Amino acid sequence: MDKFDAIVLGAGIVGVSAAIHLLRRNRSVLLLDKGLPGEATSYGNAGVIEREGFYPIVFPRGLAELYRIARNEEARLNYNRRFLPRLAPWLLKLRTATGPRGIDAYAEAMNPILSHAAAEHGSLAGKSRAVEFFRGTGWLKGYRSIASFEAGTKAHLALADHFGVRYQVLGSHEIVDLEPDLSPVFARGVLWPESVSVSSPGGVTKAHARLFDLMGGVLAQGDARSLRRENDLWVVDRTTGPATAPDVVVALGPWSMDLLAPMGYRLPFAVKRGYHQHFKPRGDAALDRPIVDVDHGYVLTPMRQGYRITTGIEFDERDAPPTPVQIERIMPQARALFPIGEAIEREPWMGARPCFPDSMPIVGPAPKHPGLWLNFGHGHLGFTLGPATGRLLAEQITREMPFVDPAPFSALRFGGR
């Protein structure tokens, strides 16, 4: 049986980053996944490192919006009605957590770590030779009417002013000046220049995994659910045989509770499914940055594979068959915004985001088991926060002074269960 100082379960951006930070602190590390690094949740996102992610996704409160959602015809949100009774307790917790006081608490907790997110990505990218994927062009959020701009930005921009985060409000003509191949459909836009984007989030994760290997870490395939406690150590089965360590990190994203629930953890956890598909542009049309069509709930972002369209949220069983109706709903609006050509893949890709109702991850020790550490539940900010929470967790494991306060991300906020 091979012995390590730490085992990290999950080779997405969160797990790979934690594994590298532990190696940097002279720990021997095994990184285990059932598949290859960067091919699950870390592959299928908009590839944005959000500086302004201190405003959570909130539960709708207006009657008009609730009526639109009830019709289940929105591009921003789709759901399986038969799944709603199981999801209802989580949605009620989301409603409570995203009231005005909850939004302020979220912003105060998240801003410190978000202020380090781009720098932590840069620290890893410089070593892993992934700098070629990064763009410092910010991203643009577009609003199709003055009313939607005013309703959708007032609180968010106030927080940006409070934290000193730069932004630029653009009119219709200024948006087209910035991105000449966009049609003039946006009445207003907000450019967030401090956010960074990448042309392949999966490629970045794979580059970091190669760095982990070059640094002396051990990559292996296996089933994380084989984790067990033996003689005060953790043991997990690889395809090449068992391995053991005193510390183990659960960074399994939407699969984390598959391991933790049988161990007795009852956390308010949900999975938001989402889709993306790549398209060729027509002619020589191009974009320099990701574009969010806020009113219709999708992101159009230039990737190495083509122009990626990512959808909003779908609520259903994590492993239920794909129902990519949101891509179909989005396409007329996307084609009116940008000259989109033929699809590159035959079918949209589907992934899942791991979420807690307060929109913050758990980053720290598991309450019931010594040597068990948790780093999951990043929601829509997994790619943004992976390197930063990887560092924060490694500092806790090695008993260093954390670079930000870990208390808001403790599992104890859910009652220690």
Side-chain angles (χ1 to χ4, degrees):
M1 186 181 297
D2 291 334
K3 297 181 179 179
F4 297 87
D5 294 324
I7 297 170
V8 177
L9 304 176
I13 188 67
V14 173
V16 170
S17 299
I20 291 174
H21 277 289
L22 286 166
L23 278 182
R24 285 181 169 180
R25 289 155 178 80
N26 298 315
R27 297 307 201 260
S28 59
V29 184
L30 170 69
L31 178 60
L32 183 113
D33 200 295
K34 62 182 178 182
L36 297 175
E39 294 197 348
T41 307
S42 295
Y43 167 72
N45 55 77
V48 179
I49 302 159
E50 296 185 40
R51 175 60 186 94
E52 79 292 351
F54 41 69
Y55 194 86
I57 291 177
V58 302
F59 187 91
R61 281 171 163 75
L63 291 177
E65 188 173 7
L66 286 169
Y67 174 73
R68 289 196 301 271
I69 290 171
R71 295 176 62 187
N72 203 19
E73 297 175 356
E74 290 271 294
R76 291 177 295 175
L77 175 66
N78 185 58
Y79 56 90
N80 181 346
R81 287 186 170 86
R82 289 177 295 181
F83 183 63
L84 285 184
R86 292 182 55 187
L87 186 66
W90 188 88
L91 290 174
L92 290 174
K93 290 182 173 68
L94 174 68
R95 188 179 191 279
T96 299
T98 55
R101 289 168 58 183
I103 291 171
D104 288 343
Y106 172 86
E108 293 293 341
M110 292 293 289
N111 182 64
I113 197 164
L114 286 166
S115 69
H116 290 273
E120 291 301 323
H121 267 276
S123 175
L124 294 187
K127 297 291 185 181
S128 68
R129 299 182 180 179
V131 174
E132 64 185 272
F133 294 108
F134 284 73
R135 296 182 292 249
T137 53
W139 69 331
L140 177 73
K141 296 184 179 181
Y143 301 82
R144 295 199 175 216
S145 69
I146 301 297
S148 69
F149 166 76
E150 292 176 346
T153 63
K154 183 178 180 180
H156 199 169
L157 297 186
L159 286 170
D161 292 335
H162 174 68
F163 294 125
V165 176
R166 292 186 296 119
Y167 63 88
Q168 185 178 356
V169 177
L170 304 177
S172 178
H173 294 299
E174 293 170 306
I175 293 170
V176 177
D177 288 343
L178 185 71
E179 292 285 2
D181 289 316
L182 289 181
S183 299
V185 300
F186 294 138
R188 289 287 187 275
V190 181
L191 176 67
W192 297 94
E194 295 183 47
S195 292
V196 177
S197 65
V198 302
S199 60
S200 176
V204 170
T205 306
K206 288 180 180 294
H208 294 350
R210 288 192 294 272
L211 172 64
F212 170 78
D213 182 56
L214 290 171
M215 291 173 65
V218 177
L219 279 162
Q221 290 187 315
D223 189 344
R225 293 173 298 179
S226 67
L227 183 71
R228 57 197 181 274
R229 193 84 168 151
E230 293 182 4
N231 300 321
D232 295 326
L233 293 173
W234 293 102
V235 180
V236 70
D237 293 331
R238 303 168 292 175
T239 54
T240 55
T244 185
D247 290 303
V248 64
V249 176
V250 179
L252 295 166
W255 299 277
S256 296
M257 292 308 295
D258 291 5
L259 172 63
L260 294 172
M263 299 174 70
Y265 290 92
R266 300 291 179 264
L267 298 169
F269 183 76
V271 167
K272 298 177 183 176
R273 305 197 327 171
Y275 300 84
H276 81 232
Q277 193 167 10
H278 295 102
F279 296 84
K280 295 179 181 178
R282 295 204 312 269
D284 59 356
L287 294 172
D288 288 330
R289 55 186 54 78
I291 307 296
V292 188
D293 187 344
V294 176
D295 292 12
H296 295 286
Y298 68 91
V299 182
L300 174 63
T301 184
M303 292 284 181
R304 289 199 169 186
Q305 302 100 313
Y307 281 84
R308 177 180 292 185
I309 293 179
T310 68
T311 70
I313 297 165
E314 181 181 66
F315 285 122
D316 201 350
E317 292 279 2
R318 183 193 64 199
D319 300 326
T323 53
V325 295
Q326 288 161 290
I327 291 282
E328 299 171 12
R329 294 170 183 170
I330 284 167
M331 289 314 300
Q333 304 299 335
R335 293 187 191 280
L337 174 65
F338 181 77
I340 293 172
E342 63 186 81
I344 293 173
E345 305 101 341
R346 292 184 61 186
E347 300 291 336
W349 179 92
M350 184 186 79
R353 309 174 186 97
C355 302
F356 292 110
D358 62 4
S359 298
M360 294 191 296
I362 290 178
V363 187
K368 297 181 178 182
H369 296 84
L372 183 64
W373 302 85
L374 309 179
N375 193 1
F376 72 101
H378 295 68
H380 297 258
L381 294 174
F383 187 74
T384 293
L385 292 177
T389 60
R391 174 183 169 184
L392 181 60
L393 190 72
E395 288 172 343
Q396 293 179 75
I397 292 172
T398 58
R399 294 177 172 82
E400 294 181 31
M401 177 66 73
F403 76 109
V404 296
D405 183 6
F409 312 113
S410 170
L412 294 176
R413 72 186 194 268
F414 298 122
R417 296 183 296 168

